[in-house]
Amino acid sequence: MQEFTHYINGKHVAGTSGRFSNVYNPATGEVLGRLPLATPQEVDDAVSKAAEAQIAWAKVNPQRRARVMMKFGALINEHMDELAELVSREHGKTLPDARGDVQRGLEVVEVCMGAPAMLKGEFMDSAGPGIDLMSMRQALGVVTGITPFNFPAMIPLWKMAPAIACGNAMILKPSERVPSTALRLAELFTEAGLPDGVLQVVNGDKEAVDALLDNDTVQAVGFVGSTPIAQYIYGRAANNGKRAQCFGGAKNHMVIMPDADLDKAADALIGAGFGAAGERCMAISVAVPVGKDTADKLVAKLLPRIEALKVGPYTSGDDVDYGPVITPASLERITGLIASGVDQGATLVTDGRDLKLQGYENGYFIGPSLFDDVTPDMDIYKEEIFGPVLCNVRAETYEEALKLVMDNDYGNGTAIYTADGDTARDFASRVNVGMVGINFPVPVPLSYFSFGGWKKSSFGDLNQYGPDAFKFYTKTKTVTARWFSGIKDGAAMAFKELD
Ligand code: NAD
């Protein structure tokens, strides 16, 4: 059994709290190791060491900082398979999906290689007589990233790369369910030339998070996780005077218009609804076909596709479509919600609850489930299931479908499938959701744009990664400079009246 550590000042450091949490392989239920949960004292110590390191790091010129990013990116590429294996082992997602997890984080590192261009300020020549104005972007100091279990590589990279490229030091508090990838990334960052202390990985639970939120040296908090925790962290961080952006849960809808290519829509729903066992904040969990005919045809197309899905451990090879969910508690929550859907009157078209995998009886596997005739008052509609369950809510008209999306509490992502440009434009323009796909099911923006939801999917200002990240991780200083005319006019040789 592995003894996990923290990563402080470029070294693995054992925990001192005597409190641990087990890390599991969700495909087998086997305990992989135990993770130390940091005390407030350990957190404060990591922060003060980071504060010392940050002073020197902020003075390294931006281009040299970018060269560390280049080396880091090269090392991530070199270790892609190893990182993907770490992701799969603790999270359970398939290896190709785990590679995608690393890849979409790497792309943010790649944008950070261009940080110098993003960090340039503004200048106004001759704003008044002899007066120039300039604004510069300066690092905040020590910042923290608190990340969820479902993207063990991508989201820690979304946090650490922009923060560090801007000249900050980062305390990363990864999910206690999947610590290995973040720890390995920290080692690779050190190998890339990052000075010790600029990235500290502190493992822990609420106690460590609260210590970070209450530490006066920590200037900014970047959180990703469930909505109740996002709202709590946003409130406590803001109350303590910190900059905070806290991204929460989701309930993403896909509207399917009668003119849509239904084969393509069905394929998209299968990937977006069941990929990674539905444990994605950009998963599509609600399909909204418009019109009875569209709904009937869509369900008929989904059925054989769902029946063909292969569920299994990542070690079974590339023909597995998705793996286990993260914990027995998740499994119980998902099966409980499926039972509630049946009780509350939805039609359970496919029931994934009976799946048993020979040799993996202790794993947290669940087959794909499809509900039809779901209505907005049901728990399966109201709650984020975060499992392989797709709900079909039938709408009579486009306006009814749009209203459903708009009335939902969450606003992370949404998609529309249609052949009509006018409908697509109207949807993109009116919908109150942060990321919109047009004939595109999972519209996670590429790394030179930025990612963020609306409504209860996000608290605070600015999106994560892309141009917004360079604003979030720096503060603006504006200088107004006046220079009086003087030596350039030369020495006054003549005896003359003064101006
Ligand atoms: P979670 O909220 O349980 O945990 C996220 C982080 O918060 C972890 O590091 C955890 O240790 C910490 N935490 C948990 N409880 C805490 C508490 N009471 N006080 C302080 N810290 C606490 O989320 P999760 O289960 O790891 O991740 C799944 C959730 O994340 C889903 O709701 C999903 O939609 C969401 N998510 C959102 C985005 C986004 O960008 N909007 C991206 C990925 C995941």
Side-chain angles (χ1 to χ4, degrees), residues 82-136:
E82 177 201 344
L83 289 164
E85 171 95 28
L86 290 178
V87 168
S88 293
R89 198 159 59 112
E90 291 175 0
H91 177 283
K93 63 178 76 175
T94 65
L95 278 173
D97 200 26
R99 272 184 222 110
D101 188 328
V102 181
Q103 176 63 29
R104 292 305 291 264
L106 171 62
E107 289 169 10
V108 169
V109 176
E110 286 167 352
V111 165
C112 291
M113 296 171 189
M118 306 299 290
L119 292 171
K120 284 189 298 190
E122 295 175 325
F123 185 82
M124 171 58 83
D125 171 48
S126 298
I131 298 174
D132 301 324
L133 249 88
M134 63 185 131
S135 69
M136 54 184 96

Coordinates of all heavy atoms in Angstrom, one line a residue, residues 82-136:
E82 N 2.3 7.5 -19.0 CA 2.4 7.3 -17.6 C 1.4 8.1 -16.8 O 0.7 7.6 -15.9 CB 3.8 7.8 -17.2 CG 4.1 7.7 -15.7 CD 5.3 8.6 -15.2 OE1 6.1 9.0 -16.1 OE2 5.3 8.8 -14.0
L83 N 1.2 9.4 -17.2 CA 0.2 10.3 -16.6 C -1.2 9.7 -16.8 O -2.0 9.7 -15.9 CB 0.3 11.7 -17.1 CG 1.6 12.5 -16.6 CD1 1.8 13.7 -17.5 CD2 1.5 12.9 -15.2
A84 N -1.5 9.3 -18.0 CA -2.8 8.7 -18.3 C -3.1 7.5 -17.4 O -4.2 7.3 -16.9 CB -2.9 8.4 -19.8
E85 N -2.1 6.7 -17.2 CA -2.3 5.5 -16.4 C -2.6 5.9 -15.0 O -3.5 5.3 -14.3 CB -1.0 4.7 -16.5 CG -0.9 3.5 -15.5 CD -1.3 2.2 -16.1 OE1 -1.2 2.0 -17.3 OE2 -1.8 1.3 -15.3
L86 N -1.9 6.9 -14.5 CA -2.2 7.4 -13.1 C -3.6 7.9 -13.0 O -4.3 7.6 -12.0 CB -1.2 8.5 -12.7 CG 0.2 8.2 -12.5 CD1 1.0 9.5 -12.1 CD2 0.4 7.2 -11.3
V87 N -4.1 8.6 -14.0 CA -5.5 9.1 -14.0 C -6.4 8.0 -14.0 O -7.4 7.9 -13.2 CB -5.7 10.0 -15.3 CG1 -7.2 10.3 -15.5 CG2 -4.9 11.3 -15.3
S88 N -6.2 7.0 -14.9 CA -7.2 5.9 -15.0 C -7.2 5.0 -13.7 O -8.3 4.6 -13.3 CB -6.8 5.0 -16.2 OG -7.0 5.7 -17.4
R89 N -6.1 4.8 -13.2 CA -6.0 3.9 -12.0 C -6.8 4.4 -10.8 O -7.5 3.7 -10.1 CB -4.5 3.8 -11.6 CG -4.2 2.6 -10.7 CD -2.8 2.2 -10.7 NE -2.0 3.3 -10.3 CZ -1.3 3.3 -9.1 NH1 -1.3 2.3 -8.4 NH2 -0.6 4.4 -8.8
E90 N -6.8 5.8 -10.6 CA -7.5 6.3 -9.4 C -8.9 6.8 -9.8 O -9.7 6.9 -9.0 CB -6.6 7.4 -8.8 CG -5.4 6.9 -8.2 CD -4.4 8.0 -7.6 OE1 -4.8 9.2 -7.8 OE2 -3.4 7.6 -7.1
H91 N -9.1 7.2 -11.1 CA -10.4 7.7 -11.5 C -11.3 6.7 -12.1 O -12.5 6.7 -11.9 CB -10.2 8.9 -12.5 CG -11.5 9.4 -13.0 ND1 -12.2 8.8 -13.9 CD2 -12.2 10.5 -12.6 CE1 -13.4 9.4 -14.2 NE2 -13.4 10.5 -13.4
G92 N -10.6 5.8 -12.9 CA -11.4 4.7 -13.5 C -11.7 5.0 -15.0 O -12.2 4.1 -15.7
K93 N -11.5 6.2 -15.5 CA -11.8 6.4 -16.9 C -10.9 5.6 -17.8 O -9.8 5.2 -17.4 CB -11.8 7.9 -17.2 CG -10.5 8.6 -17.1 CD -10.6 10.1 -17.5 CE -11.3 11.0 -16.5 NZ -11.3 12.4 -16.8
T94 N -11.3 5.4 -19.1 CA -10.6 4.6 -20.0 C -9.2 5.3 -20.3 O -9.1 6.6 -20.2 CB -11.3 4.4 -21.3 OG1 -11.5 5.7 -22.0 CG2 -12.7 3.8 -21.1
L95 N -8.3 4.6 -20.8 CA -7.0 5.2 -21.1 C -7.1 6.3 -22.2 O -6.5 7.3 -22.1 CB -5.9 4.1 -21.5 CG -5.3 3.4 -20.3 CD1 -4.4 2.3 -20.8 CD2 -4.5 4.4 -19.5
P96 N -7.8 6.0 -23.3 CA -7.9 7.1 -24.3 C -8.5 8.4 -23.7 O -8.1 9.5 -24.0 CB -8.8 6.5 -25.4 CG -8.7 5.1 -25.3 CD -8.5 4.8 -23.8
D97 N -9.5 8.2 -22.9 CA -10.2 9.4 -22.2 C -9.2 10.0 -21.2 O -9.2 11.3 -21.1 CB -11.4 8.9 -21.5 CG -12.4 10.0 -21.2 OD1 -12.4 11.0 -21.9 OD2 -13.2 9.9 -20.2
A98 N -8.4 9.2 -20.6 CA -7.4 9.8 -19.6 C -6.3 10.6 -20.4 O -5.9 11.6 -19.9 CB -6.7 8.6 -18.8
R99 N -6.0 10.1 -21.6 CA -5.0 10.8 -22.4 C -5.6 12.2 -22.8 O -4.9 13.2 -22.8 CB -4.6 10.1 -23.7 CG -3.4 9.2 -23.4 CD -3.0 8.4 -24.7 NE -2.7 7.1 -24.3 CZ -3.4 6.0 -24.7 NH1 -4.4 6.1 -25.5 NH2 -3.1 4.8 -24.3
G100 N -6.9 12.2 -23.1 CA -7.6 13.4 -23.4 C -7.6 14.4 -22.2 O -7.4 15.6 -22.4
D101 N -7.7 13.8 -21.0 CA -7.7 14.6 -19.8 C -6.3 15.3 -19.7 O -6.2 16.5 -19.4 CB -7.9 13.6 -18.6 CG -8.0 14.2 -17.2 OD1 -7.5 15.2 -17.0 OD2 -8.7 13.5 -16.4
V102 N -5.2 14.6 -19.9 CA -3.9 15.2 -19.9 C -3.7 16.2 -21.0 O -3.2 17.3 -20.8 CB -2.8 14.1 -20.0 CG1 -1.4 14.7 -19.9 CG2 -3.0 13.0 -18.9
Q103 N -4.2 15.8 -22.2 CA -4.0 16.6 -23.4 C -4.7 18.0 -23.2 O -4.1 19.1 -23.5 CB -4.6 15.9 -24.6 CG -4.6 16.7 -25.9 CD -3.2 17.0 -26.4 OE1 -2.3 16.3 -26.1 NE2 -3.1 18.1 -27.1
R104 N -6.0 18.0 -22.7 CA -6.7 19.3 -22.6 C -6.1 20.2 -21.5 O -6.3 21.4 -21.5 CB -8.2 19.1 -22.3 CG -8.9 18.4 -23.5 CD -8.8 19.2 -24.8 NE -9.5 20.5 -24.9 CZ -10.7 20.7 -25.4 NH1 -11.4 19.7 -25.8 NH2 -11.2 21.9 -25.5
G105 N -5.3 19.6 -20.6 CA -4.5 20.4 -19.6 C -3.3 20.9 -20.3 O -2.9 22.1 -20.1
L106 N -2.6 20.0 -21.0 CA -1.4 20.4 -21.7 C -1.6 21.6 -22.6 O -0.8 22.5 -22.8 CB -0.9 19.2 -22.5 CG 0.3 19.4 -23.5 CD1 1.5 19.9 -22.8 CD2 0.6 18.1 -24.3
E107 N -2.8 21.6 -23.3 CA -3.1 22.8 -24.2 C -3.1 24.1 -23.4 O -2.7 25.1 -24.0 CB -4.4 22.5 -24.9 CG -4.2 21.4 -25.9 CD -5.5 20.8 -26.5 OE1 -6.6 21.5 -26.3 OE2 -5.5 19.8 -27.2
V108 N -3.5 24.1 -22.2 CA -3.4 25.3 -21.4 C -2.0 25.7 -21.1 O -1.6 26.8 -21.1 CB -4.3 25.2 -20.1 CG1 -4.0 26.3 -19.1 CG2 -5.8 25.1 -20.5
V109 N -1.1 24.7 -20.8 CA 0.3 24.9 -20.6 C 0.9 25.6 -21.9 O 1.7 26.5 -21.9 CB 1.1 23.6 -20.3 CG1 2.6 23.8 -20.2 CG2 0.5 23.0 -19.0
E110 N 0.4 25.0 -23.1 CA 0.9 25.6 -24.3 C 0.6 27.1 -24.5 O 1.4 27.8 -24.9 CB 0.4 24.8 -25.5 CG 1.0 23.4 -25.6 CD 0.3 22.4 -26.5 OE1 -0.8 22.7 -27.0 OE2 0.9 21.3 -26.8
V111 N -0.6 27.4 -24.1 CA -1.0 28.9 -24.2 C -0.1 29.7 -23.2 O 0.3 30.8 -23.6 CB -2.5 29.1 -24.0 CG1 -2.8 30.5 -23.7 CG2 -3.3 28.6 -25.2
C112 N 0.2 29.1 -22.1 CA 1.0 29.8 -21.1 C 2.5 30.0 -21.6 O 3.2 30.8 -21.0 CB 1.0 29.1 -19.8 SG -0.7 29.3 -19.0
M113 N 2.9 29.2 -22.6 CA 4.2 29.5 -23.2 C 4.3 30.9 -23.8 O 5.3 31.4 -24.0 CB 4.6 28.4 -24.2 CG 4.6 27.0 -23.6 SD 4.8 25.8 -24.9 CE 4.6 24.3 -24.0
G114 N 3.1 31.4 -24.1 CA 3.0 32.8 -24.7 C 2.6 33.8 -23.7 O 2.2 34.9 -24.1
A115 N 2.8 33.5 -22.4 CA 2.4 34.4 -21.4 C 3.0 35.8 -21.5 O 2.3 36.8 -21.2 CB 2.8 33.8 -20.0
P116 N 4.3 36.0 -22.0 CA 4.8 37.4 -22.0 C 3.9 38.3 -22.9 O 3.6 39.4 -22.5 CB 6.1 37.2 -22.7 CG 6.6 35.8 -22.3 CD 5.3 35.0 -22.3
A117 N 3.3 37.7 -24.0 CA 2.4 38.6 -24.8 C 1.2 38.9 -24.1 O 0.6 40.0 -24.2 CB 2.1 37.8 -26.1
M118 N 0.7 38.0 -23.2 CA -0.5 38.2 -22.5 C -0.3 39.2 -21.3 O -1.3 39.8 -20.8 CB -1.1 36.9 -21.9 CG -1.3 35.8 -22.9 SD -2.4 36.2 -24.2 CE -4.0 36.3 -23.3
L119 N 0.9 39.3 -20.9 CA 1.2 40.1 -19.7 C 1.6 41.6 -20.0 O 1.8 42.4 -19.1 CB 2.3 39.5 -18.8 CG 1.9 38.1 -18.2 CD1 3.1 37.4 -17.6 CD2 0.8 38.3 -17.2
K120 N 1.6 41.9 -21.3 CA 1.9 43.3 -21.6 C 0.9 44.2 -21.1 O -0.3 43.9 -21.1 CB 2.0 43.4 -23.2 CG 3.3 42.8 -23.8 CD 3.4 43.2 -25.2 CE 2.3 42.6 -26.0 NZ 2.5 42.7 -27.5
G121 N 1.3 45.4 -20.7 CA 0.3 46.4 -20.2 C -0.1 47.3 -21.3 O 0.0 47.0 -22.5
E122 N -0.6 48.5 -20.9 CA -1.1 49.5 -21.8 C -0.3 50.8 -21.6 O 0.2 51.0 -20.6 CB -2.6 49.7 -21.6 CG -3.4 48.5 -21.9 CD -4.9 48.7 -21.5 OE1 -5.2 49.4 -20.5 OE2 -5.8 48.2 -22.3
F123 N -0.3 51.6 -22.7 CA 0.5 52.8 -22.6 C -0.2 53.9 -23.4 O -0.7 53.7 -24.5 CB 1.9 52.6 -23.2 CG 2.8 53.8 -23.0 CD1 3.5 54.0 -21.8 CD2 3.0 54.7 -24.0 CE1 4.3 55.1 -21.6 CE2 3.8 55.8 -23.9 CZ 4.5 56.0 -22.7
M124 N -0.3 55.1 -22.8 CA -0.9 56.2 -23.5 C 0.1 57.3 -23.5 O 0.5 57.9 -22.5 CB -2.2 56.7 -22.9 CG -2.7 58.0 -23.4 SD -3.1 58.0 -25.2 CE -4.7 57.2 -25.2
D125 N 0.6 57.6 -24.7 CA 1.6 58.7 -24.8 C 0.9 60.1 -24.8 O -0.1 60.2 -25.4 CB 2.3 58.5 -26.2 CG 3.2 59.6 -26.6 OD1 4.0 60.0 -25.8 OD2 3.1 60.0 -27.8
S126 N 1.5 61.0 -24.1 CA 1.0 62.4 -24.0 C -0.4 62.5 -23.7 O -1.2 63.1 -24.4 CB 1.3 63.1 -25.4 OG 2.7 63.1 -25.6
A127 N -0.8 61.9 -22.6 CA -2.2 62.0 -22.1 C -2.5 63.5 -21.6 O -3.6 63.9 -21.5 CB -2.4 61.1 -21.0
G128 N -1.4 64.2 -21.4 CA -1.5 65.6 -21.0 C -0.1 66.2 -21.3 O 0.8 65.5 -21.8
P129 N 0.1 67.5 -21.1 CA 1.4 68.1 -21.3 C 2.5 67.4 -20.5 O 2.5 67.4 -19.3 CB 1.3 69.5 -20.9 CG -0.1 69.7 -20.5 CD -0.8 68.4 -20.4
G130 N 3.4 66.6 -21.2 CA 4.5 65.9 -20.6 C 4.0 64.7 -19.7 O 4.7 64.2 -18.9
I131 N 2.7 64.3 -19.9 CA 2.2 63.3 -19.1 C 1.9 62.0 -19.9 O 1.3 62.0 -21.0 CB 0.8 63.7 -18.5 CG1 1.1 64.9 -17.6 CG2 0.1 62.6 -17.7 CD1 -0.2 65.5 -17.0
D132 N 2.4 60.9 -19.4 CA 2.2 59.5 -20.0 C 1.4 58.7 -19.0 O 1.7 58.8 -17.8 CB 3.5 58.8 -20.4 CG 4.3 59.7 -21.3 OD1 3.7 60.3 -22.2 OD2 5.5 59.7 -21.2
L133 N 0.6 57.8 -19.5 CA -0.1 56.9 -18.6 C 0.3 55.4 -19.0 O 0.3 55.1 -20.2 CB -1.6 57.0 -18.7 CG -2.3 57.6 -17.5 CD1 -2.3 59.1 -17.6 CD2 -3.8 57.1 -17.4
M134 N 0.5 54.6 -18.0 CA 0.8 53.2 -18.3 C 0.2 52.3 -17.3 O 0.1 52.7 -16.1 CB 2.3 52.9 -18.4 CG 3.1 53.1 -17.2 SD 4.8 52.9 -17.5 CE 5.5 54.3 -16.8
S135 N -0.3 51.2 -17.7 CA -0.8 50.2 -16.8 C 0.0 48.9 -16.9 O 0.4 48.6 -18.0 CB -2.3 49.9 -17.0 OG -2.5 49.2 -18.2
M136 N 0.3 48.3 -15.8 CA 1.1 47.1 -15.8 C 0.3 46.0 -15.1 O -0.5 46.3 -14.2 CB 2.5 47.3 -15.3 CG 2.5 47.9 -13.9 SD 4.2 48.2 -13.3 CE 4.4 50.0 -13.8

